[in-house]
Amino acid sequence: MEDLSYFEGRQLTEKLPLEAFTSVSEVKEKLLLGRYRRTDTELCDYIKKILGHPLFKSLMISTIALNAIFLVIETDFKVRSESHYFLEIADLIILAIYTTEFLLNLYLDPIGYWKDGYKRYDVVVLFFAYLLYVIDRSNPQKYRFWNMVKGFQALRILKLVYYSTGMSVLMTALGQTVRNVIYVLVLLFLLMFIFAILGHDLYGDPETGDMQNWGNLPSAFFTLFSLVTVDGWTDLQDELDDRGLTSSRAFTIVFILLGFFVFFNMFIGVVIMDIQDTTEEYERKLQAERRATLHTKKQAILRRQQEEISALISQQKSSEYKTFNELVEDFKKSLHHADPMVLEEFCASIPFIDLYLTSLDRQDATVFKLQELYYEIVATLTTLLNQSEEKSWQSLKSLRSKSS
């Protein structure tokens, strides 16, 4: 009998550490939860499944959409007065769903909850929602404040960003662009400040200048803002031309070139570049998580195969098999076509198969083109042969006519 100690001592999954296949978010979560030990792990897993289930996400998206519809309906005073109790009950039900979501997330991760910007935004939304029921709207002095808080209920609609991957990526990109955009806006403000002082001194004369647009610094800033946005700049220039200030055309052109074509487009370019970088980073993280999931599945398959082989080896010790080869042959008979197999060879990888199939397609196309070229050559040679035969017959006829 062959020595089976090599197969018994071989651990196929020891070379595949679990940390190598977990995503970055899972590793951070483990490090965070490592500070304190929870005893309700089963309940936490159950709550995590509920929050990650597609039906729960669909429920939240539908609730937010209904909330938006009810907010639109409440803008009609007639409908709001006739359906007052119905709208209040609907608002209480929606608020209960939001509160349930808040409590589940808070119970699942009490510390990490406050580190997420979207979760903190949910707290702000709930604060304004409950503040609406605390204020006494029957008091005339507080009714105006109650109306202002009522208007803030529209912030609930932004909860939809959390459940939309595309909008979340966009909001993250906009948040990252704030720092770069501030630098551009500061430079634009300095440019406007210089031109505001210059424009006030040149065209803000009370007798000959344009006092309405250049009479003081605030009006000069507002005029320059109109020039930056290129909105109604021709009307502003016409007013200066009517007062005989034709030299202001150079002033206007230079500021529009600097303010609009340089700084304004720089602002747009910075936003686009940051959004593109954030989108690429999100795609890289998504691919990394997919690879981690794939490696985790491979590890599970290897563990299952190891358990099956260990069971067969232990069974072989007390069975009728004399050698390990007989055990393997019997094991092959139990395999099915649907059983997954982990293949590490290069020729069995998906990129190689894709490249190989592409090469075969190109080879077929090349063979087809060669066949077409062969047919064209044969057709050309046939045409030349027919022409030579015709010429020979014509020459033969001419010789016979001369001889006769």
Side-chain angles (χ1 to χ4, degrees):
M1 182 178 295
E2 298 180 4
D3 187 12
L4 303 179
S5 60
Y6 170 74
F7 297 97
E8 293 176 355
R10 185 181 180 184
Q11 299 294 329
L12 298 178
T13 58
E14 284 183 353
K15 297 181 180 181
L16 299 174
L18 183 61
E19 287 78 6
F21 306 126
T22 54
S23 61
V24 178
S25 60
E26 292 176 352
V27 173
K28 290 183 178 179
E29 183 179 357
K30 289 182 179 179
L31 291 175
L32 183 62
L33 294 178
R35 300 177 182 176
Y36 60 94
R37 193 176 299 275
R38 301 189 63 158
T39 58
D40 53 347
T41 56
E42 295 182 358
L43 180 59
C44 289
D45 293 337
Y46 182 72
I47 293 175
K48 188 182 294 184
K49 290 181 181 179
I50 292 176
L51 294 176
H53 200 277
L55 290 178
F56 182 80
K57 294 182 179 180
S58 301
L59 173 63
M60 293 304 303
I61 293 173
S62 302
T63 303
I64 296 170
L66 286 175
N67 195 359
I69 294 174
F70 288 143
L71 289 176
V72 173
I73 293 175
E74 289 181 359
T75 57
D76 192 341
F77 290 98
K78 182 179 180 181
V79 176
R80 184 169 61 185
S81 60
E82 294 177 354
S83 307
H84 175 69
Y85 294 103
F86 171 75
L87 292 175
E88 281 195 354
I89 293 174
D91 188 72
L92 289 174
I93 294 174
I94 292 172
L95 185 58
I97 295 175
Y98 290 161
T99 306
T100 304
E101 180 202 15
F102 164 72
L103 294 176
L104 290 176
N105 284 306
L106 186 63
Y107 180 81
L108 185 63
D109 191 1
I111 298 177
Y113 182 88
W114 305 102
K115 295 183 178 181
D116 192 348
Y118 292 106
K119 303 297 178 57
R120 294 197 298 267
Y121 179 79
D122 289 343
V123 175
V124 174
V125 169
L126 288 176
F127 172 77
F128 281 108
Y130 282 105
L131 185 62
L132 195 66
Y133 292 94
V134 174
I135 301 173
D136 185 14
R137 56 181 174 177
S138 60
N139 189 349
Q141 297 179 353
K142 298 181 179 179
Y143 184 74
R144 184 175 182 83
F145 180 68
W146 184 87
N147 280 331
M148 183 180 66
V149 176
K150 182 70 174 177
F152 280 110
Q153 302 306 313
L155 296 175
R156 302 180 185 181
I157 311 304
L158 291 179
K159 287 173 61 66
L160 189 64
V161 176
Y162 178 75
Y163 295 97
S164 176
T165 305
M167 287 191 290
S168 298
V169 174
L170 184 59
M171 291 297 294
T172 304
L174 292 177
Q176 293 180 355
T177 58
V178 171
R179 184 178 61 181
N180 296 330
V181 166
I182 287 177
Y183 294 149
V184 177
L185 292 178
V186 168
L187 290 175
L188 181 60
F189 175 78
L190 294 177
L191 178 69
M192 292 178 65
F193 180 79
I194 295 171
F195 274 82
I197 298 296
L198 185 60
H200 172 70
D201 293 338
L202 293 176
Y203 315 116
D205 188 82
E207 297 179 357
T208 60
D210 186 3
M211 288 293 296
Q212 183 178 358
N213 297 316
W214 302 98
N216 50 44
L217 195 60
S219 60
F221 263 104
F222 186 78
T223 302
L224 291 176
F225 181 78
S226 300
L227 294 178
V228 167
T229 58
V230 198
D231 184 17
W233 70 274
T234 55
D235 297 333
L236 297 173
Q237 185 59 41
D238 289 340
E239 292 182 3
L240 293 175
D241 291 339
D242 294 340
R243 289 174 171 80
L245 300 174
T246 55
S247 62
S248 61
R249 296 180 180 179
F251 176 87
T252 304
I253 292 173
V254 171
F255 181 78
I256 290 176
L257 287 176
L258 294 176
F260 178 75
F261 289 100
V262 177
F263 285 96
F264 192 76
N265 290 300
M266 187 187 302
F267 173 83
I268 297 174
V270 168
V271 173
I272 292 175
M273 289 175 60
D274 288 337
I275 291 175
Q276 184 178 2
D277 293 340
T278 305
T279 305
E280 292 177 355
E281 183 180 358
Y282 169 75
E283 291 178 355
R284 287 193 296 268
K285 289 182 180 179
L286 189 61
Q287 291 177 0
E289 291 180 358
R290 289 176 180 174
R291 287 195 296 268
T293 304
L294 179 61
H295 284 297
T296 306
K297 291 181 179 179
K298 283 173 130 182
Q299 185 187 26
I301 293 172
L302 288 174
R303 286 178 178 174
R304 191 186 68 180
Q305 291 178 352
Q306 179 191 359
E307 292 174 358
E308 291 177 355
I309 292 175
S310 300
L312 289 173
I313 291 174
S314 61
Q315 182 183 0
Q316 191 267 342
K317 291 181 179 180
S318 59
S319 63
E320 68 277 5
Y321 300 112
K322 297 181 178 180
T323 63
F324 183 75
N325 291 330
E326 294 180 1
L327 179 64
V328 172
E329 292 297 330
D330 186 71
F331 176 71
K332 288 181 180 179
K333 295 178 182 179
S334 63
L335 293 176
H336 301 282
H337 295 288
D339 290 341
M341 299 295 294
V342 179
L343 302 176
E344 298 293 343
E345 289 78 7
F346 176 73
C347 61
S349 62
I350 294 178
F352 175 79
I353 295 174
D354 189 16
L355 182 62
Y356 180 68
L357 293 176
T358 304
S359 302
L360 289 179
D361 293 337
R362 294 182 178 179
Q363 184 179 358
D364 293 339
T366 304
V367 172
F368 179 73
K369 291 181 180 179
L370 289 175
Q371 289 178 352
E372 289 183 347
L373 181 60
Y374 174 74
Y375 293 149
E376 291 179 0
I377 292 173
V378 171
T380 303
L381 293 175
T382 303
T383 303
L384 293 175
L385 181 61
N386 293 332
Q387 290 178 357
S388 61
E389 289 180 355
E390 290 179 358
K391 289 181 180 179
S392 62
W393 278 107
Q394 290 177 0
S395 60
L396 182 61
K397 288 181 180 180
S398 61
L399 290 173
R400 288 180 179 178
S401 62
K402 289 179 181 179
S403 60
S404 61

